[in-house]
Amino acid sequence: MSLAVRVIPCLDVDAGRVVKGVHFQGLRDAGDPVELAAKYYAQGADELTFLDVTASSSNRATTYDVVRRTAEELFIPLTVGGGVRTPEDVDMLLRCGADKVGVNTAAINNPQLIADIAQRFGSQVLVLSIDAKREVGEQHTASGFEVTTMGGRHSTGIDALWWVKRAQELGAGEILLNSMDADGTQEGFDLEMIREVRREVSIPIIASGGAGKPEDFPPAIEAGADAVLAASVFHYGVMTIGQVKQVLRDHGYTVR
């Protein structure tokens, strides 16, 4: 029997408030993370992802407090990412109530961090978050998909397909695959990218970036994703989690 498809709302949090923009630019306030978490839990979210989009040491204390208050509202897995640089950061977030922790930039700078976290806490705790985009003009990576940081503004020159494979080898338990080209556009997921990554790894893939209507979700699962994630369409009431689950059911997928 196939595992149930997970529908995951994402809270992009800046200084204790949920924000959303297009390509991580022009951020708008979308509400209180604790209130939104409670709302999505009531709507039937399978998990919740909480990303501190401007994580710095200055508001780290704010983040821990918000994570703690958010976790108290939920009885579903909570993944927290943003500014995680050491196994000690992971330890603190787990103590605050997170079930899984997302790493991105710090793992690019020091891939050994993936292995260190996986060995200490288990692979199931570690979600590798990847902000990938298509290269235009002259190709620099073999696949044409490049890993970026700083919300897509900084190119790393790292081939996204090579990186997911390496991350799996090092012990990542899951891949959060965010298409920077599709992010915030509401024009659908990058299905080709999902298919290419699925060919490289066996661990679960969470597809992110581009959802605009309930019908956008089933193709992402068909392309190889195990879970689908969205932010602004849920925050601004474009659709509910229930509507997404119904469309997935209509396409023959098992949902919780």
Side-chain angles (χ1 to χ4, degrees):
M1 182 182 135
S2 61
L3 290 173
V5 172
R6 290 169 290 149
V7 178
I8 307 173
C10 181
L11 306 180
D12 295 314
V13 179
D14 178 13
R17 297 290 292 176
V18 176
V19 295
K20 193 58 197 168
V22 177
H23 305 308
F24 287 82
Q25 304 286 319
L27 298 177
R28 291 186 293 164
D29 188 283
D32 175 66
V34 182
E35 287 174 14
L36 281 171
K39 180 177 97 171
Y40 295 140
Y41 175 62
Q43 275 188 19
D46 298 301
E47 293 185 14
L48 189 78
T49 293
F50 177 114
L51 297 179
D52 185 338
V53 293
T54 53
S56 68
S57 52
S58 59
N59 63 26
R60 192 34 92 193
T62 308
T63 301
Y64 288 142
D65 176 56
V66 178
V67 169
R68 198 176 282 113
R69 289 189 295 120
T70 303
E72 285 168 1
E73 296 292 327
L74 300 174
F75 300 94
I76 52 174
L78 173 64
T79 299
V80 181
V84 175
R85 297 179 182 90
T86 65
E88 287 65 43
D89 292 337
V90 175
D91 188 51
M92 267 303 288
L93 288 167
L94 295 177
R95 287 172 190 274
C96 287
D99 299 278
K100 302 187 228 180
V101 174
V103 292
N104 185 341
T105 310
I108 292 166
N109 296 336
N110 172 27
Q112 181 60 33
L113 178 64
I114 297 173
D116 292 346
I117 293 171
Q119 283 159 15
R120 182 164 161 189
F121 304 102
S123 288
Q124 78 286 349
V125 161
L126 182 58
V127 179
L128 184 80
S129 184
I130 296 182
D131 294 330
K133 72 176 179 187
R134 293 161 178 272
E135 294 174 303
V136 288
E138 292 182 24
Q139 300 291 334
H140 300 292
T141 64
S143 70
F145 293 109
E146 185 188 19
V147 177
T148 67
T149 59
M150 311 291 292
R153 292 186 294 281
H154 176 72
S155 296
T156 64
I158 297 170
D159 188 311
L161 298 191
W162 174 84
W163 181 228
V164 292
K165 208 155 67 174
R166 182 80 186 105
Q168 177 174 271
E169 288 165 3
L170 287 164
E174 199 161 24
I175 302 287
L176 171 51
L177 181 64
N178 189 37
S179 165
M180 295 312 301
D181 302 305
D183 178 74
T185 63
Q186 299 190 14
E187 291 170 2
F189 292 91
D190 188 328
L191 304 178
E192 185 191 359
M193 185 188 286
I194 296 167
R195 276 193 289 268
E196 294 288 330
V197 170
R198 173 42 75 217
R199 275 200 271 272
E200 300 297 329
V201 297
S202 58
I203 56 178
I205 296 169
I206 304 165
S208 168
K213 55 189 184 299
E215 292 71 28
D216 289 334
F217 291 86
I221 303 301
E222 191 182 336
D226 301 271
V228 282
L229 177 146
S232 53
V233 290
F234 293 141
H235 303 336
Y236 299 121
V238 176
M239 67 184 85
T240 64
I241 289 157
Q243 287 171 321
V244 172
K245 288 193 167 187
Q246 189 54 55
V247 168
L248 288 165
R249 269 190 214 100
D250 293 344
H251 282 74
Y253 294 110
T254 304
V255 294
R256 290 195 179 88

